[in-house]
Amino acid sequence: MAETEPRTTDSVTMDKIVSLCRRRGFVFPSSEIYGGLGSAYDYGHYGVLAKNNVKARWLEAMVQERDDIVALDSSIILNPSVWEASGHLEGFSDPLVDCRTCKLRFRADKLEDAQCGRKPSKHPGETKDCDLTEPRQFNLMLSTKLGAVEDTGSTAYLRPETAQGIFVNFKNVLQLARRKPPFGIAQVGKSFRNEITPGNFLFRTREFEQMEMEYFVPPDEADEWYRYWIDQRFNWYTRYGLRENHLRVRPHDPDELSHYSSATSDIEYLFPIGWSELEGIANRGDFGLTQHTNHSATKLEYVDSATGERYTPHVIEPAGGADRALLAFLVDAYDEEIVADRQRTVLRLHPQIAPVKAAVLPLIGRHEQMVATARALYEELRRRHAVEYDDSGAIGRRYRRQDEIGTPFAFTIDEQTLEDDTVTIRDRDSLAQERLPLSSVAGYLDEALERPWKTPKPD
Ligand code: GAP
């Protein structure tokens, strides 16, 4: 049953991630039986569990482990005036060019990253055959019609960020939770953007989930909190296993800043497509609250009832994406190695991100007593954790399957179990195996899942 020492052959590409996600039921192309829909994906069982873990760890760090942040779940469709006030109707756009020759559409500011539809031209505009139009601004918000009558009065927008739902609830939270800045409101939920150049699997899609927190602070503390949240968010990614040297903080140049931001830094991850944004931390000043105060005629400010002091708080916003974070965790976890002359593909996910925490495996799937003991252990463990029972096929194949979905531990029930009530525990990363009393497995697993974890992958 024991496996030999592994030899690593580190190589990860986006194609390998896409293929593993499909093969093991993490992520499927959406509406595939109708030919799919570009850059839209459906999450399968393990994808749902893993993405839920990403969101749960984020909420834990933002809300459960702190006293100064509360949770919110606002509507996806808001009063359209919200988007007028926020500046999204006016300014949430990308410059676009069309090519009259290849009929494709490109972002004017990203031509060097785009691929022309005709050969031999590589990038749009590179050869004289390319015939590009002048850039036009293209609004990224997806609109829809509300109600039965299709007139202009019923146009509404699917939110392009969750942040505005937070701003328009500022007064509710301030009053009901009796908050004093600094305090924050955290929200996880879907956002939608009519991206011109979606792609790279989960990295850029038109429908995605954001994890955003607006932190309201006294104006003269804004810079200090901006730096604080850059550190906090960087540390969250390393806490859940991303290699530190695959992460970096990149401050935006002045010409990159959004219309509302006075300073923004991206936490970038070294994806197979190169260094790319994982999350942005922005100093939004008082833009959001002031705009909504002006447009709604509701004063969104903090008033100290004891001193009478009043001010519009400034906002520091860490804004990440659940799908993009999951992609980074998958990329960082993907590993291939040779074990006993055979290739092993393994997802070295942090145990708290892994979709399944442990597998319970009877060594011989048709052995009545082994099956009964394994089922009893499985029933005990599943009350506390996401665990799997598997009795089909050769044990080596079952281990490999669990490796590919990133299950950190496997408990195997064998002949010795029936004699001395011990089980084998196999560690996904080291492949080490040891024996443990059956009665201590649940406690062992509880404790193992709480332990700090560091990837054995080289930096
Ligand atoms: N409220 C600020 C805001 O929305 P953003 O940088 O546009 O800022 C925040 O988005 C995060 O949301 C990004 O860092 C990324 O993780 C995620 N995100 C944005 N657009 C995305 C898309 N089209 N597909 C997947 N994730 C996206």
Side-chain angles (χ1 to χ4, degrees):
M1 204 162 41
E3 295 150 295
T4 50
E5 273 294 281
R7 278 178 286 129
T8 300
T9 56
D10 192 12
S11 61
V12 54
T13 61
M14 205 64 104
D15 284 347
K16 287 184 180 179
I17 298 292
V18 173
S19 150
L20 182 138
C21 281
R22 209 220 137 101
R23 187 168 72 245
R24 289 301 179 197
F26 280 79
V27 180
F28 307 113
S30 181
S31 33
E32 207 179 5
I33 60 169
Y34 288 100
L37 175 70
S39 298
Y41 295 96
D42 298 338
Y43 282 83
H45 181 67
Y46 297 123
V48 172
L49 296 181
K51 188 157 75 142
N52 280 347
N53 289 338
V54 171
K55 293 185 285 183
R57 300 295 83 81
W58 186 87
L59 273 170
E60 260 161 33
M62 284 295 178
V63 179
Q64 190 176 317
E65 293 173 4
R66 305 181 62 105
D67 296 326
D68 55 351
I69 300 178
V70 294
L72 179 80
D73 186 1
S74 69
S75 313
I76 286 173
I77 300 174
L78 302 173
N79 185 313
S81 303
V82 169
W83 305 113
E84 211 178 306
S86 69
H88 281 83
L89 272 176
E90 177 82 22
F92 193 58
S93 51
D94 281 340
L96 252 194
V97 294
D98 290 299
C99 178
R100 297 184 188 93
T101 315
C102 75
K103 309 288 181 217
L104 290 182
R105 181 169 276 185
F106 309 101
R107 264 180 70 167
D109 56 340
K110 299 265 188 233
L111 289 182
E112 67 284 0
D113 300 335
Q115 191 77 42
C116 171
R118 298 172 79 236
K119 292 187 174 115
S121 170
K122 199 165 181 307
H123 303 302
E126 211 172 69
T127 74
K128 63 178 173 24
D129 291 336
C130 302
D131 184 6
L132 303 182
T133 61
E134 285 300 305
R136 288 176 299 126
Q137 288 300 322
F138 177 83
N139 195 292
L140 297 181
M141 281 202 295
L142 278 164
S143 62
T144 186
K145 298 282 181 192
L146 297 185
V149 189
E150 279 221 359
D151 63 13
T152 48
S154 63
T155 297
Y157 302 91
L158 304 185
R159 67 180 176 203
E161 61 170 15
T162 61
Q164 299 306 322
I166 296 180
F167 291 136
V168 299
N169 277 287
F170 172 79
K171 204 173 166 195
N172 292 334
V173 175
L174 188 73
Q175 285 175 347
L176 288 176
R178 276 188 255 111
R179 295 280 160 183
K180 177 177 167 44
F183 76 92
I185 305 177
Q187 164 152 246
V188 177
K190 289 244 172 172
S191 287
F192 300 82
R193 294 181 191 177
N194 201 1
E195 299 280 6
I196 299 154
T197 47
N200 291 315
F201 194 36
L202 304 175
F203 184 83
R204 193 180 304 284
T205 49
R206 296 195 174 94
E207 174 180 346
F208 53 96
E209 273 190 283
Q210 286 191 309
M211 308 185 291
E212 294 199 293
M213 194 275 290
E214 309 301 315
Y215 199 68
F216 301 95
V217 303
D220 59 351
E221 294 177 17
D223 191 53
E224 180 194 322
W225 286 113
Y226 170 60
R227 282 169 210 298
Y228 169 87
W229 279 109
I230 294 172
D231 283 352
Q232 288 291 309
R233 295 304 305 143
F234 189 96
N235 294 342
W236 183 82
Y237 288 106
T238 56
R239 173 177 171 186
Y240 289 108
L242 294 193
R243 286 166 295 173
E244 199 162 331
N245 66 354
H246 282 57
L247 285 166
R248 71 179 185 192
V249 175
R250 188 185 67 80
H252 279 203
D253 292 332
D255 62 345
E256 285 179 87
L257 293 173
S258 317
H259 58 278
Y260 50 74
S261 164
S262 61
T264 296
S265 289
D266 285 345
I267 296 175
E268 295 187 331
Y269 177 73
L270 187 53
F271 285 96
I273 52 172
W275 286 103
S276 310
E277 175 187 344
L278 193 50
E279 164 157 355
I281 295 96
N283 181 346
R284 294 182 77 133
D286 62 359
F287 182 85
L289 292 182
T290 303
Q291 286 294 105
H292 288 303
T293 294
N294 293 340
H295 281 73
S296 68
T298 303
K299 261 200 160 36
L300 301 179
E301 60 175 11
Y302 170 70
V303 183
D304 190 311
S305 53
T307 64
E309 180 198 17
R310 59 173 63 215
Y311 60 85
T312 304
H314 283 209
V315 173
I316 308 304
E317 174 196 72
D323 313 85
R324 205 176 280 185
L326 176 63
L327 181 61
F329 285 120
L330 291 171
V331 165
D332 214 73
Y334 186 94
D335 207 0
E336 290 170 354
E337 61 185 11
I338 307 297
V339 180
D341 293 329
R342 290 190 50 205
Q343 180 169 306
R344 174 172 95 117
T345 302
V346 52
L347 282 185
R348 302 188 189 279
L349 288 167
H350 190 290
Q352 299 218 14
I353 300 291
V356 175
K357 310 304 179 193
V360 181
L361 316 169
L363 182 62
I364 302 167
R366 270 170 289 162
H367 192 296
E368 224 173 273
Q369 257 181 299
M370 279 186 208
V371 166
T373 309
R375 289 277 337 168
L377 178 62
Y378 168 63
E379 293 300 337
E380 182 187 0
L381 299 182
R382 76 190 299 191
R383 279 188 265 135
R384 312 230 279 260
H385 304 289
V387 291
E388 261 188 14
Y389 170 84
D390 185 4
D391 62 13
S392 58
I395 192 75
R397 195 166 289 192
R398 282 182 268 162
Y399 284 151
R400 292 295 184 274
R401 196 181 149 269
Q402 295 298 332
D403 289 340
E404 283 209 340
I405 62 169
T407 306
F409 305 105
F411 299 108
T412 307
I413 310 311
D414 53 17
E415 255 134 28
Q416 198 179 326
T417 313
L418 308 180
E419 287 160 20
D420 66 3
D421 276 342
T422 61
V423 298
T424 302
I425 166 161
R426 171 192 184 263
D427 181 283
R428 172 199 68 196
D429 293 327
S430 65
L431 294 179
Q433 299 194 3
E434 55 176 309
R435 290 204 79 89
L436 214 63
L438 193 52
S439 58
S440 66
V441 168
Y444 176 95
L445 186 59
D446 288 348
E447 194 267 324
L449 294 175
E450 288 303 317
R451 275 201 298 259
W453 177 90
K454 195 173 174 311
T455 182
K457 275 179 81 170
D459 285 343

PDB file of all heavy atoms in Angstrom, residues 390-417:
ATOM      1  N   ASP A 390     -15.374   5.988  -0.545  1.00  0.00           N
ATOM      2  CA  ASP A 390     -15.186   5.414  -1.885  1.00  0.00           C
ATOM      3  C   ASP A 390     -14.699   3.979  -1.741  1.00  0.00           C
ATOM      4  O   ASP A 390     -13.657   3.721  -1.126  1.00  0.00           O
ATOM      5  CB  ASP A 390     -14.154   6.255  -2.661  1.00  0.00           C
ATOM      6  CG  ASP A 390     -14.008   5.784  -4.109  1.00  0.00           C
ATOM      7  OD1 ASP A 390     -14.757   4.874  -4.523  1.00  0.00           O
ATOM      8  OD2 ASP A 390     -13.130   6.324  -4.811  1.00  0.00           O
ATOM      9  N   ASP A 391     -15.466   3.047  -2.310  1.00  0.00           N
ATOM     10  CA  ASP A 391     -15.034   1.636  -2.213  1.00  0.00           C
ATOM     11  C   ASP A 391     -14.856   1.008  -3.590  1.00  0.00           C
ATOM     12  O   ASP A 391     -14.771  -0.197  -3.715  1.00  0.00           O
ATOM     13  CB  ASP A 391     -16.039   0.833  -1.368  1.00  0.00           C
ATOM     14  CG  ASP A 391     -17.443   0.794  -1.987  1.00  0.00           C
ATOM     15  OD1 ASP A 391     -17.582   1.168  -3.167  1.00  0.00           O
ATOM     16  OD2 ASP A 391     -18.381   0.401  -1.275  1.00  0.00           O
ATOM     17  N   SER A 392     -14.788   1.853  -4.660  1.00  0.00           N
ATOM     18  CA  SER A 392     -14.763   1.249  -5.997  1.00  0.00           C
ATOM     19  C   SER A 392     -13.380   1.287  -6.633  1.00  0.00           C
ATOM     20  O   SER A 392     -12.764   2.352  -6.704  1.00  0.00           O
ATOM     21  CB  SER A 392     -15.762   1.977  -6.898  1.00  0.00           C
ATOM     22  OG  SER A 392     -15.408   3.335  -6.943  1.00  0.00           O
ATOM     23  N   GLY A 393     -12.916   0.125  -7.078  1.00  0.00           N
ATOM     24  CA  GLY A 393     -11.659   0.047  -7.826  1.00  0.00           C
ATOM     25  C   GLY A 393     -10.444  -0.137  -6.934  1.00  0.00           C
ATOM     26  O   GLY A 393     -10.531  -0.197  -5.709  1.00  0.00           O
ATOM     27  N   ALA A 394      -9.294  -0.176  -7.607  1.00  0.00           N
ATOM     28  CA  ALA A 394      -8.032  -0.418  -6.887  1.00  0.00           C
ATOM     29  C   ALA A 394      -7.729   0.767  -5.978  1.00  0.00           C
ATOM     30  O   ALA A 394      -8.054   1.910  -6.295  1.00  0.00           O
ATOM     31  CB  ALA A 394      -6.907  -0.596  -7.899  1.00  0.00           C
ATOM     32  N   ILE A 395      -7.082   0.482  -4.854  1.00  0.00           N
ATOM     33  CA  ILE A 395      -6.820   1.534  -3.863  1.00  0.00           C
ATOM     34  C   ILE A 395      -5.935   2.650  -4.448  1.00  0.00           C
ATOM     35  O   ILE A 395      -6.158   3.837  -4.186  1.00  0.00           O
ATOM     36  CB  ILE A 395      -6.217   0.939  -2.561  1.00  0.00           C
ATOM     37  CG1 ILE A 395      -6.214   1.971  -1.440  1.00  0.00           C
ATOM     38  CG2 ILE A 395      -4.825   0.378  -2.785  1.00  0.00           C
ATOM     39  CD1 ILE A 395      -7.524   2.235  -0.824  1.00  0.00           C
ATOM     40  N   GLY A 396      -4.955   2.238  -5.278  1.00  0.00           N
ATOM     41  CA  GLY A 396      -4.053   3.239  -5.867  1.00  0.00           C
ATOM     42  C   GLY A 396      -4.831   4.236  -6.725  1.00  0.00           C
ATOM     43  O   GLY A 396      -4.597   5.438  -6.684  1.00  0.00           O
ATOM     44  N   ARG A 397      -5.784   3.711  -7.465  1.00  0.00           N
ATOM     45  CA  ARG A 397      -6.598   4.574  -8.323  1.00  0.00           C
ATOM     46  C   ARG A 397      -7.474   5.511  -7.477  1.00  0.00           C
ATOM     47  O   ARG A 397      -7.684   6.669  -7.810  1.00  0.00           O
ATOM     48  CB  ARG A 397      -7.474   3.683  -9.207  1.00  0.00           C
ATOM     49  CG  ARG A 397      -8.088   4.423 -10.355  1.00  0.00           C
ATOM     50  CD  ARG A 397      -8.641   3.483 -11.367  1.00  0.00           C
ATOM     51  NE  ARG A 397      -7.572   2.791 -12.083  1.00  0.00           N
ATOM     52  CZ  ARG A 397      -7.763   2.091 -13.174  1.00  0.00           C
ATOM     53  NH1 ARG A 397      -8.966   1.980 -13.671  1.00  0.00           N
ATOM     54  NH2 ARG A 397      -6.762   1.494 -13.781  1.00  0.00           N
ATOM     55  N   ARG A 398      -7.972   4.997  -6.363  1.00  0.00           N
ATOM     56  CA  ARG A 398      -8.803   5.842  -5.487  1.00  0.00           C
ATOM     57  C   ARG A 398      -7.965   6.959  -4.871  1.00  0.00           C
ATOM     58  O   ARG A 398      -8.409   8.095  -4.755  1.00  0.00           O
ATOM     59  CB  ARG A 398      -9.464   4.989  -4.393  1.00  0.00           C
ATOM     60  CG  ARG A 398     -10.662   4.218  -4.918  1.00  0.00           C
ATOM     61  CD  ARG A 398     -11.320   3.433  -3.813  1.00  0.00           C
ATOM     62  NE  ARG A 398     -10.798   2.080  -3.698  1.00  0.00           N
ATOM     63  CZ  ARG A 398     -10.928   1.302  -2.630  1.00  0.00           C
ATOM     64  NH1 ARG A 398     -11.533   1.766  -1.548  1.00  0.00           N
ATOM     65  NH2 ARG A 398     -10.446   0.073  -2.624  1.00  0.00           N
ATOM     66  N   TYR A 399      -6.720   6.629  -4.472  1.00  0.00           N
ATOM     67  CA  TYR A 399      -5.828   7.671  -3.946  1.00  0.00           C
ATOM     68  C   TYR A 399      -5.590   8.745  -5.001  1.00  0.00           C
ATOM     69  O   TYR A 399      -5.627   9.930  -4.710  1.00  0.00           O
ATOM     70  CB  TYR A 399      -4.470   7.077  -3.555  1.00  0.00           C
ATOM     71  CG  TYR A 399      -4.441   6.299  -2.248  1.00  0.00           C
ATOM     72  CD1 TYR A 399      -3.536   5.243  -2.067  1.00  0.00           C
ATOM     73  CD2 TYR A 399      -5.257   6.640  -1.176  1.00  0.00           C
ATOM     74  CE1 TYR A 399      -3.469   4.551  -0.871  1.00  0.00           C
ATOM     75  CE2 TYR A 399      -5.198   5.947   0.024  1.00  0.00           C
ATOM     76  CZ  TYR A 399      -4.307   4.898   0.172  1.00  0.00           C
ATOM     77  OH  TYR A 399      -4.236   4.213   1.354  1.00  0.00           O
ATOM     78  N   ARG A 400      -5.320   8.326  -6.234  1.00  0.00           N
ATOM     79  CA  ARG A 400      -5.022   9.286  -7.310  1.00  0.00           C
ATOM     80  C   ARG A 400      -6.206  10.216  -7.558  1.00  0.00           C
ATOM     81  O   ARG A 400      -6.046  11.392  -7.838  1.00  0.00           O
ATOM     82  CB  ARG A 400      -4.678   8.560  -8.617  1.00  0.00           C
ATOM     83  CG  ARG A 400      -3.379   7.802  -8.592  1.00  0.00           C
ATOM     84  CD  ARG A 400      -2.190   8.768  -8.437  1.00  0.00           C
ATOM     85  NE  ARG A 400      -0.935   8.055  -8.508  1.00  0.00           N
ATOM     86  CZ  ARG A 400      -0.341   7.457  -7.462  1.00  0.00           C
ATOM     87  NH1 ARG A 400      -0.894   7.500  -6.255  1.00  0.00           N
ATOM     88  NH2 ARG A 400       0.807   6.819  -7.620  1.00  0.00           N
ATOM     89  N   ARG A 401      -7.391   9.642  -7.470  1.00  0.00           N
ATOM     90  CA  ARG A 401      -8.589  10.463  -7.683  1.00  0.00           C
ATOM     91  C   ARG A 401      -8.689  11.526  -6.588  1.00  0.00           C
ATOM     92  O   ARG A 401      -8.965  12.685  -6.846  1.00  0.00           O
ATOM     93  CB  ARG A 401      -9.814   9.537  -7.664  1.00  0.00           C
ATOM     94  CG  ARG A 401     -11.018  10.184  -8.228  1.00  0.00           C
ATOM     95  CD  ARG A 401     -12.246   9.284  -8.193  1.00  0.00           C
ATOM     96  NE  ARG A 401     -13.382  10.176  -8.030  1.00  0.00           N
ATOM     97  CZ  ARG A 401     -13.882  10.525  -6.858  1.00  0.00           C
ATOM     98  NH1 ARG A 401     -13.391  10.032  -5.755  1.00  0.00           N
ATOM     99  NH2 ARG A 401     -14.885  11.365  -6.801  1.00  0.00           N
ATOM    100  N   GLN A 402      -8.448  11.132  -5.352  1.00  0.00           N
ATOM    101  CA  GLN A 402      -8.500  12.098  -4.247  1.00  0.00           C
ATOM    102  C   GLN A 402      -7.376  13.129  -4.382  1.00  0.00           C
ATOM    103  O   GLN A 402      -7.576  14.301  -4.063  1.00  0.00           O
ATOM    104  CB  GLN A 402      -8.412  11.370  -2.889  1.00  0.00           C
ATOM    105  CG  GLN A 402      -9.601  10.465  -2.592  1.00  0.00           C
ATOM    106  CD  GLN A 402     -10.930  11.217  -2.506  1.00  0.00           C
ATOM    107  OE1 GLN A 402     -10.962  12.391  -2.161  1.00  0.00           O
ATOM    108  NE2 GLN A 402     -12.029  10.541  -2.829  1.00  0.00           N
ATOM    109  N   ASP A 403      -6.206  12.685  -4.865  1.00  0.00           N
ATOM    110  CA  ASP A 403      -5.099  13.634  -5.082  1.00  0.00           C
ATOM    111  C   ASP A 403      -5.516  14.722  -6.061  1.00  0.00           C
ATOM    112  O   ASP A 403      -5.217  15.894  -5.878  1.00  0.00           O
ATOM    113  CB  ASP A 403      -3.869  12.912  -5.657  1.00  0.00           C
ATOM    114  CG  ASP A 403      -3.194  12.014  -4.635  1.00  0.00           C
ATOM    115  OD1 ASP A 403      -3.422  12.219  -3.428  1.00  0.00           O
ATOM    116  OD2 ASP A 403      -2.447  11.110  -5.056  1.00  0.00           O
ATOM    117  N   GLU A 404      -6.207  14.313  -7.113  1.00  0.00           N
ATOM    118  CA  GLU A 404      -6.580  15.277  -8.168  1.00  0.00           C
ATOM    119  C   GLU A 404      -7.628  16.278  -7.711  1.00  0.00           C
ATOM    120  O   GLU A 404      -7.767  17.335  -8.308  1.00  0.00           O
ATOM    121  CB  GLU A 404      -7.075  14.538  -9.417  1.00  0.00           C
ATOM    122  CG  GLU A 404      -5.943  13.959 -10.230  1.00  0.00           C
ATOM    123  CD  GLU A 404      -6.276  13.856 -11.718  1.00  0.00           C
ATOM    124  OE1 GLU A 404      -7.474  13.861 -12.084  1.00  0.00           O
ATOM    125  OE2 GLU A 404      -5.333  13.760 -12.508  1.00  0.00           O
ATOM    126  N   ILE A 405      -8.399  15.934  -6.696  1.00  0.00           N
ATOM    127  CA  ILE A 405      -9.361  16.934  -6.196  1.00  0.00           C
ATOM    128  C   ILE A 405      -8.822  17.616  -4.936  1.00  0.00           C
ATOM    129  O   ILE A 405      -9.489  18.444  -4.341  1.00  0.00           O
ATOM    130  CB  ILE A 405     -10.771  16.327  -5.947  1.00  0.00           C
ATOM    131  CG1 ILE A 405     -10.737  15.227  -4.880  1.00  0.00           C
ATOM    132  CG2 ILE A 405     -11.364  15.820  -7.255  1.00  0.00           C
ATOM    133  CD1 ILE A 405     -12.121  14.808  -4.422  1.00  0.00           C
ATOM    134  N   GLY A 406      -7.604  17.240  -4.538  1.00  0.00           N
ATOM    135  CA  GLY A 406      -6.933  17.965  -3.457  1.00  0.00           C
ATOM    136  C   GLY A 406      -7.294  17.521  -2.051  1.00  0.00           C
ATOM    137  O   GLY A 406      -7.081  18.275  -1.097  1.00  0.00           O
ATOM    138  N   THR A 407      -7.800  16.309  -1.887  1.00  0.00           N
ATOM    139  CA  THR A 407      -8.187  15.825  -0.542  1.00  0.00           C
ATOM    140  C   THR A 407      -6.938  15.618   0.313  1.00  0.00           C
ATOM    141  O   THR A 407      -6.085  14.783  -0.024  1.00  0.00           O
ATOM    142  CB  THR A 407      -8.968  14.499  -0.668  1.00  0.00           C
ATOM    143  OG1 THR A 407     -10.041  14.722  -1.574  1.00  0.00           O
ATOM    144  CG2 THR A 407      -9.496  14.042   0.683  1.00  0.00           C
ATOM    145  N   PRO A 408      -6.793  16.355   1.415  1.00  0.00           N
ATOM    146  CA  PRO A 408      -5.519  16.295   2.148  1.00  0.00           C
ATOM    147  C   PRO A 408      -5.269  14.979   2.900  1.00  0.00           C
ATOM    148  O   PRO A 408      -4.125  14.613   3.109  1.00  0.00           O
ATOM    149  CB  PRO A 408      -5.593  17.463   3.130  1.00  0.00           C
ATOM    150  CG  PRO A 408      -7.005  17.920   3.158  1.00  0.00           C
ATOM    151  CD  PRO A 408      -7.681  17.415   1.919  1.00  0.00           C
ATOM    152  N   PHE A 409      -6.329  14.267   3.290  1.00  0.00           N
ATOM    153  CA  PHE A 409      -6.117  13.048   4.089  1.00  0.00           C
ATOM    154  C   PHE A 409      -6.982  11.899   3.569  1.00  0.00           C
ATOM    155  O   PHE A 409      -8.103  12.133   3.117  1.00  0.00           O
ATOM    156  CB  PHE A 409      -6.482  13.290   5.563  1.00  0.00           C
ATOM    157  CG  PHE A 409      -5.739  14.462   6.154  1.00  0.00           C
ATOM    158  CD1 PHE A 409      -6.386  15.672   6.373  1.00  0.00           C
ATOM    159  CD2 PHE A 409      -4.382  14.367   6.457  1.00  0.00           C
ATOM    160  CE1 PHE A 409      -5.707  16.770   6.881  1.00  0.00           C
ATOM    161  CE2 PHE A 409      -3.690  15.462   6.953  1.00  0.00           C
ATOM    162  CZ  PHE A 409      -4.351  16.667   7.177  1.00  0.00           C
ATOM    163  N   ALA A 410      -6.429  10.694   3.674  1.00  0.00           N
ATOM    164  CA  ALA A 410      -7.234   9.499   3.364  1.00  0.00           C
ATOM    165  C   ALA A 410      -7.077   8.518   4.522  1.00  0.00           C
ATOM    166  O   ALA A 410      -5.962   8.313   5.027  1.00  0.00           O
ATOM    167  CB  ALA A 410      -6.758   8.877   2.062  1.00  0.00           C
ATOM    168  N   PHE A 411      -8.178   7.957   4.961  1.00  0.00           N
ATOM    169  CA  PHE A 411      -8.170   6.942   6.027  1.00  0.00           C
ATOM    170  C   PHE A 411      -8.553   5.616   5.399  1.00  0.00           C
ATOM    171  O   PHE A 411      -9.637   5.495   4.810  1.00  0.00           O
ATOM    172  CB  PHE A 411      -9.171   7.310   7.126  1.00  0.00           C
ATOM    173  CG  PHE A 411      -8.852   8.629   7.782  1.00  0.00           C
ATOM    174  CD1 PHE A 411      -9.645   9.753   7.534  1.00  0.00           C
ATOM    175  CD2 PHE A 411      -7.760   8.768   8.631  1.00  0.00           C
ATOM    176  CE1 PHE A 411      -9.350  10.982   8.124  1.00  0.00           C
ATOM    177  CE2 PHE A 411      -7.460   9.990   9.225  1.00  0.00           C
ATOM    178  CZ  PHE A 411      -8.254  11.104   8.968  1.00  0.00           C
ATOM    179  N   THR A 412      -7.654   4.650   5.511  1.00  0.00           N
ATOM    180  CA  THR A 412      -7.898   3.361   4.877  1.00  0.00           C
ATOM    181  C   THR A 412      -8.137   2.283   5.929  1.00  0.00           C
ATOM    182  O   THR A 412      -7.369   2.138   6.888  1.00  0.00           O
ATOM    183  CB  THR A 412      -6.707   2.976   3.973  1.00  0.00           C
ATOM    184  OG1 THR A 412      -6.477   4.064   3.078  1.00  0.00           O
ATOM    185  CG2 THR A 412      -7.008   1.735   3.169  1.00  0.00           C
ATOM    186  N   ILE A 413      -9.224   1.555   5.702  1.00  0.00           N
ATOM    187  CA  ILE A 413      -9.607   0.455   6.595  1.00  0.00           C
ATOM    188  C   ILE A 413      -9.112  -0.829   5.936  1.00  0.00           C
ATOM    189  O   ILE A 413      -9.495  -1.115   4.800  1.00  0.00           O
ATOM    190  CB  ILE A 413     -11.161   0.379   6.728  1.00  0.00           C
ATOM    191  CG1 ILE A 413     -11.797   1.734   7.075  1.00  0.00           C
ATOM    192  CG2 ILE A 413     -11.579  -0.733   7.672  1.00  0.00           C
ATOM    193  CD1 ILE A 413     -11.226   2.508   8.172  1.00  0.00           C
ATOM    194  N   ASP A 414      -8.273  -1.603   6.649  1.00  0.00           N
ATOM    195  CA  ASP A 414      -7.741  -2.819   6.048  1.00  0.00           C
ATOM    196  C   ASP A 414      -7.886  -4.003   7.008  1.00  0.00           C
ATOM    197  O   ASP A 414      -8.593  -3.899   8.013  1.00  0.00           O
ATOM    198  CB  ASP A 414      -6.278  -2.604   5.623  1.00  0.00           C
ATOM    199  CG  ASP A 414      -5.435  -2.079   6.789  1.00  0.00           C
ATOM    200  OD1 ASP A 414      -5.885  -2.189   7.952  1.00  0.00           O
ATOM    201  OD2 ASP A 414      -4.333  -1.549   6.534  1.00  0.00           O
ATOM    202  N   GLU A 415      -7.180  -5.100   6.681  1.00  0.00           N
ATOM    203  CA  GLU A 415      -7.328  -6.287   7.526  1.00  0.00           C
ATOM    204  C   GLU A 415      -6.903  -6.020   8.963  1.00  0.00           C
ATOM    205  O   GLU A 415      -7.534  -6.474   9.917  1.00  0.00           O
ATOM    206  CB  GLU A 415      -6.517  -7.445   6.946  1.00  0.00           C
ATOM    207  CG  GLU A 415      -7.396  -8.467   6.268  1.00  0.00           C
ATOM    208  CD  GLU A 415      -6.854  -8.891   4.925  1.00  0.00           C
ATOM    209  OE1 GLU A 415      -5.620  -8.843   4.731  1.00  0.00           O
ATOM    210  OE2 GLU A 415      -7.672  -9.257   4.059  1.00  0.00           O
ATOM    211  N   GLN A 416      -5.821  -5.239   9.091  1.00  0.00           N
ATOM    212  CA  GLN A 416      -5.313  -4.959  10.444  1.00  0.00           C
ATOM    213  C   GLN A 416      -6.351  -4.187  11.274  1.00  0.00           C
ATOM    214  O   GLN A 416      -6.450  -4.368  12.474  1.00  0.00           O
ATOM    215  CB  GLN A 416      -4.005  -4.149  10.348  1.00  0.00           C
ATOM    216  CG  GLN A 416      -3.202  -4.190  11.632  1.00  0.00           C
ATOM    217  CD  GLN A 416      -1.891  -3.412  11.520  1.00  0.00           C
ATOM    218  OE1 GLN A 416      -1.275  -3.386  10.452  1.00  0.00           O
ATOM    219  NE2 GLN A 416      -1.472  -2.803  12.615  1.00  0.00           N
ATOM    220  N   THR A 417      -7.133  -3.369  10.611  1.00  0.00           N
ATOM    221  CA  THR A 417      -8.174  -2.604  11.321  1.00  0.00           C
ATOM    222  C   THR A 417      -9.115  -3.567  12.042  1.00  0.00           C
ATOM    223  O   THR A 417      -9.539  -3.325  13.185  1.00  0.00           O
ATOM    224  CB  THR A 417      -9.009  -1.749  10.336  1.00  0.00           C
ATOM    225  OG1 THR A 417      -8.123  -1.063   9.473  1.00  0.00           O
ATOM    226  CG2 THR A 417      -9.918  -0.784  11.073  1.00  0.00           C
TER     227      THR A 417
END
